[in-house]
Amino acid sequence: MPQTKIYGNADFIQQHREVLSSTIHSCVVDALNYPPEKRFQRFFPLQAEDFESPSDRSEKYIIIEILLFSGRSVEAKKSLYRLLFERLKEKLDIAPIDIEIILIETASHNWGLRGMAGDELNLSYKVNV
């Protein structure tokens, strides 16, 4: 159950939110075999004074943080990175230097959702891809 947070310049995020959302979600679906109907995203549009970055980053600089159950293969994760870099460049002309992706994996028993621990859920998708 990936939970995605997108941090970036407020003006850029607000102007391109729909394309960012659909592009990032399509990458998660394709790389991790995730069900298309399950989209969990939160956007954090930040003012310049709240979003410091190195001088070689542009106003399109974004940080994508994805929290997910442990179990995806290294190949699946690398496929996710590759798809994000490619599709964000294609759809919004975001250079790879302006994209940072952080995966935070945790054991499913560390999640509580739908009234139970994550390891007790009967998921409609595979985590070990």
Side-chain angles (χ1 to χ4, degrees):
M1 174 159 317
Q3 295 276 343
T4 304
K5 298 177 187 177
I6 301 98
Y7 302 87
N9 172 283
D11 291 337
F12 182 75
I13 291 275
Q14 290 164 346
Q15 184 177 2
H16 300 287
R17 183 181 174 132
E18 290 304 315
V19 176
L20 281 165
S21 177
S22 62
T23 302
I24 292 168
H25 187 64
S26 76
C27 295
V28 170
V29 167
D30 291 348
L32 305 181
N33 291 329
Y34 193 65
E37 69 278 6
K38 294 187 179 278
R39 185 183 308 202
F40 297 95
Q41 298 176 335
R42 292 178 301 284
F43 287 84
F44 295 85
L46 300 165
Q47 298 302 315
E49 63 270 15
D50 296 322
F51 193 54
E52 293 188 30
S53 60
S55 62
D56 61 346
R57 304 307 195 273
S58 79
E59 71 285 346
K60 295 179 181 182
Y61 173 62
I62 58 171
I63 299 171
I64 302 167
E65 183 179 283
I66 304 173
L67 295 94
L68 64 167
F69 290 164
S70 299
R72 273 68 177 202
S73 67
V74 171
E75 292 79 18
K77 294 176 213 177
K78 288 183 177 183
S79 175
L80 177 59
Y81 304 147
R82 181 183 48 76
L83 289 174
L84 285 165
F85 290 131
E86 288 174 0
R87 291 181 185 171
L88 289 168
K89 174 68 174 159
E90 174 188 321
K91 299 285 186 183
L92 291 168
D93 197 32
I94 304 175
I97 194 169
D98 282 329
I99 303 167
E100 291 193 25
I101 306 154
I102 303 145
L103 298 183
I104 301 170
E105 296 180 287
T106 186
S108 58
H109 65 265
N110 288 331
W111 291 54
L113 59 159
R114 298 187 211 155
M116 62 185 74
D119 63 343
E120 298 172 353
L121 291 173
N122 185 12
L123 298 174
S124 62
Y125 58 92
K126 293 183 180 184
V127 172
N128 296 319
V129 295

